[in-house]
Amino acid sequence: LDGAIRCSDLAKQVAEWGSPGVALTDHGAMYGVVDFYQKCKSQEVKPIIGCEVYLDPRGHQIRDKKGQNHHLLLLAKDNGGYQNLVKLVSKANTDGFFYKPRIDYDLLSTYGEGLIGSSACLAGEVASLVLQGDEEAAAKKALFYEEILGKGNFYLEVMHNSLPEQARANKGIIRIARETGLPLIATNDAHYLRKED
């Protein structure tokens, strides 16, 4: 929902690159999961099913314009995780929808088993706190997410793009990874399949 890549083209390209797997993480929805799964399987590429959810720390059912829809990347680790992800996204779209489909900490705690999370992009809660100059609060928030999802199931995420804010956030996130021992991963949004697109 945030890019122009068709599932069939993605699976074929990933197979040509020799990559063992690829993830689909649409914003707040999982509409493409079945097509994505089938296309990946046809190319013998492992489909990793996920969602970049919107999280309102104050509660997913609060209906005012003061809310913050922080991004949080969630990936299904196993079939139980997939079932929990489906429940989270369903509840976000039915109970939590207010401009965006939202979850909160309580929902994540209830349905977090079998999920792997990462701090997401600049709109993630950890990166937002880093950019506000509060790395201590960002580190506490990252450890809080690890507590919810379980040891080894939360990653700090850095990206390489041309945004100056991203470069600032990356430095803080790397420091937090060193201080907390949380694993660090390098990711990037894929809105197009090839650079020329």
Side-chain angles (χ1 to χ4, degrees):
L1 298 175
D2 199 29
I5 304 173
R6 296 187 184 280
C7 293
S8 55
D9 297 337
L10 177 63
K12 184 178 178 191
Q13 182 65 70
V14 168
E16 286 175 14
W17 286 332
S19 181
V22 64
L24 177 68
T25 57
D26 277 339
H27 285 269
M30 296 174 64
Y31 306 128
V33 166
V34 173
D35 186 42
F36 169 74
Y37 182 88
Q38 291 171 342
K39 297 299 191 286
C40 286
K41 286 297 192 179
S42 74
Q43 294 291 327
E44 298 181 7
V45 170
K46 180 179 181 175
I48 301 168
I49 297 169
C51 186
E52 190 167 10
V53 298
Y54 300 99
L55 186 140
D56 190 332
R58 299 173 318 133
H60 74 290
Q61 293 184 317
I62 292 176
R63 303 284 195 265
D64 63 31
K65 293 187 179 182
K66 297 176 187 169
Q68 295 180 325
N69 293 323
H70 293 292
H71 293 193
L72 177 68
L73 189 72
L74 296 174
L75 302 170
K77 189 161 68 167
D78 51 29
N79 191 53
Y82 171 74
Q83 297 297 326
N84 280 331
L85 187 59
V86 167
K87 288 175 187 169
L88 277 171
V89 172
S90 294
K91 288 190 176 293
N93 278 278
T94 55
D95 301 341
F97 198 94
F98 186 67
Y99 292 91
K100 306 261 187 208
R102 303 163 309 144
I103 67 167
D104 59 23
Y105 300 135
D106 289 338
L107 280 176
L108 187 60
S109 294
T110 302
Y111 299 107
E113 191 173 337
L115 295 175
I116 293 172
S118 74
S119 59
C121 58
L122 291 174
E125 203 167 5
V126 174
S128 295
L129 288 166
V130 169
L131 290 176
Q132 291 169 24
D134 196 346
E135 285 186 26
E136 185 180 337
K140 286 179 182 174
K141 190 60 65 178
L143 290 169
F144 176 69
Y145 279 120
E146 182 192 45
E147 184 181 319
I148 290 174
L149 296 172
K151 187 85 172 150
N153 291 326
F154 184 74
Y155 293 78
L156 291 167
E157 197 171 329
V158 293
M159 294 184 181
H160 180 69
N161 53 41
S162 59
L163 301 172
E165 298 87 1
Q166 186 69 62
R168 281 191 7 250
N170 286 349
K171 289 178 183 175
I173 290 169
I174 291 168
R175 282 191 293 269
I176 291 168
R178 288 182 180 142
E179 290 168 11
T180 62
L182 289 171
L184 188 66
I185 56 171
T187 69
N188 220 326
D189 290 341
H191 297 127
Y192 302 96
L193 193 58
R194 297 171 205 84
K195 187 175 182 178
E196 54 269 24
D197 293 341

